Amino acid sequence: GDGENAHHFVCSLSALLPRLLTIRSTIEVDEALLAFASDYCEGVFSESGSNSGNRIILNADGIYLATYSALCLNLQLIECGWYCSGRESNTLPTSQREFVEEVHGSGVLVYLSASWLQELHRLVCEDSLLQRAGFQHSVHRHCALVRALSG
C-alpha cells in the first residue's frame, strides 16, 4: 500500500543524497532532482508491470515536488534540533496536514495520495535522511543542496 510505496521512495532518495551533497551548483542540484523524479517514476512503472491492480500512478512532477518538500522538511527539522531532543517538547515546523497541503496546493498536478504524503512526512520526522547521508550542519550549511532548499 501507500506506506510501502513511500518507504520505497525514501530508500531511493536516501541512495541519491550522498551525491547531492557533493554537487556544487544549485542548478545541478535541481537537474539531479528532476532526473531522480523521472527515473524513479520509470522504475516504479516498470516494476509494477502489467499487474493493473498494483499499478501506482505517479508523475515525475509530483515526485519532484515531494522530494523537494521532504528535503526542506528534513532541513528544517535538523535546524530546529528535532532529531537531537526529546521530540515531545518540540513542535513540528510543518505539520502533516500542512505538508500534504503544500504539495497538493502547489498548482502542479500531483498523483500522490494524501496517505502517501502523510507517510513520507512521518518517515522524514522519524529519521534524518540528510544526516544519514553524511550531512553535517557545520560542513554543509552553504552547500548547493542547502541553498536550493532554502532558496
Side-chain angles (χ1 to χ4, degrees), residues 75-94:
L75 193 60
Q76 285 177 329
L77 292 173
I78 291 169
E79 286 173 348
C80 77
W82 171 262
Y83 300 106
C84 313
S85 59
R87 307 200 177 161
E88 298 70 39
S89 61
N90 237 328
T91 44
L92 274 171
T94 307

Side-chain angles (χ1 to χ4, degrees), residues 22-80:
T22 65
I23 293 178
R24 305 271 163 159
S25 84
T26 51
I27 293 164
E28 280 177 63
V29 166
D30 205 48
E31 284 168 357
L33 289 176
L34 284 165
F36 165 74
S38 141
D39 293 349
Y40 183 77
C41 289
E42 277 171 35
V44 167
F45 194 72
S46 61
E47 275 171 36
S48 65
S50 56
N51 297 353
S52 52
N54 262 346
R55 173 142 313 160
I56 314 153
I57 299 189
L58 291 174
N59 63 331
D61 287 346
I63 289 291
Y64 171 76
L65 243 127
T67 304
Y68 223 90
S69 301
L71 293 175
C72 284
L73 173 67
N74 192 174
L75 193 60
Q76 285 177 329
L77 292 173
I78 291 169
E79 286 173 348
C80 77

